Amino acid sequence: MWGGRTGALLRVSGLWPAGVLGRRPLSCNAASLAGRNSPQCWNCGAPGGPMREHGFFCPQCRALQPPDPARDYFSLMDCNRAFRVDTAKLQTRYQELQRLVHPDFFSQRSQTEKDFSEKHSTLVNDAYKTLLAPLSRGLYLLKLHGLEIPEGTDDEMDRQFLMEIMEINENLAEAQSEAAMKEIESIVRAKQKELTDNVSRAFEQDTGRQGSYLLVLAATNSKKETGRRDILLSSEQYDLEKAKKMLTKMRYFSNIEEKIKLKKIPL
């Protein structure tokens, strides 16, 4: 599937999988640097199995290594850990990684590398899908901050919002014409855009406070600076809670979007 002309292009671009003829080996210096604080290669036993800059191949024998469990999706997809993501860059990175680790490249390799390839490819797919959509991206960011939105959070939502959701659901259930469906779809899309913008601002404020906190942390440990650190930490938690609340609302509207898609499918 990936042979012939595609293989030639991959060799030229430097994305040809490990161990395949034509891939340029790392210099001794690069291999040495990559090995620091890294586990041993499962295949050759060389120190620094996974290369830190890619996390995929041994710098010595070029064997595919297991996924790094400490690596988050943002690092894997070469994105800043932020709510705003360049989706075009994300897609390019996704394609590059799949050209490195896709199982089609490892059909003639050892069973161990085949298994690692499957795991890497699945991980790249999951990371891409998670970071591509605003809702899943926001939920993942919350998770990295130690916050999650459990199922059954109706009691925590304000009554007015729940009444709004109920009304939209009732209108959707009663909608019989294409015009009625489009009207509901337009309302939900506008709500999601507004919430997405608000979530973005909340995460951006949180990121700004984190930077201020680090500067204060480096300052003298006076009572004044300690008090300021406490205020910044409290504000950061407030920003995350705001993002959490808005993402919860986005999840409600996302459920309605799924219902709209299902209703559009002809019986």
Side-chain angles (χ1 to χ4, degrees), residues 199 202 205 237-247:
V199 170
Q205 287 170 351
Q237 189 63 29
Y238 174 70
D239 292 333
L240 291 174
E241 287 297 331
K242 278 201 304 185
K244 179 180 176 182
K245 184 176 181 179
M246 287 179 282
L247 285 165

Side-chain angles (χ1 to χ4, degrees), residues 170-220:
E170 288 174 355
N171 291 339
L172 179 60
E174 295 170 1
Q176 298 297 325
S177 66
E178 185 179 347
M181 291 280 289
K182 283 185 176 180
E183 183 180 354
I184 296 171
E185 198 171 12
S186 177
I187 291 171
V188 172
R189 190 183 301 115
K191 293 286 185 181
Q192 287 287 57
K193 184 182 184 309
E194 180 183 355
L195 287 167
T196 298
D197 291 341
N198 290 336
V199 170
S200 181
R201 280 192 289 270
F203 276 121
E204 284 172 359
Q205 287 170 351
D206 171 63
T207 302
R209 292 189 206 280
Q210 285 180 16
S212 299
Y213 175 73
L214 291 174
L215 289 174
V216 173
L217 194 63
T220 56

Side-chain angles (χ1 to χ4, degrees), residues 157-158 161 195 245-253:
M157 301 304 298
D158 61 86
F161 174 75
L195 287 167
K245 184 176 181 179
M246 287 179 282
L247 285 165
T248 303
K249 290 183 177 183
M250 284 182 69
R251 197 159 70 174
Y252 277 93
F253 284 115

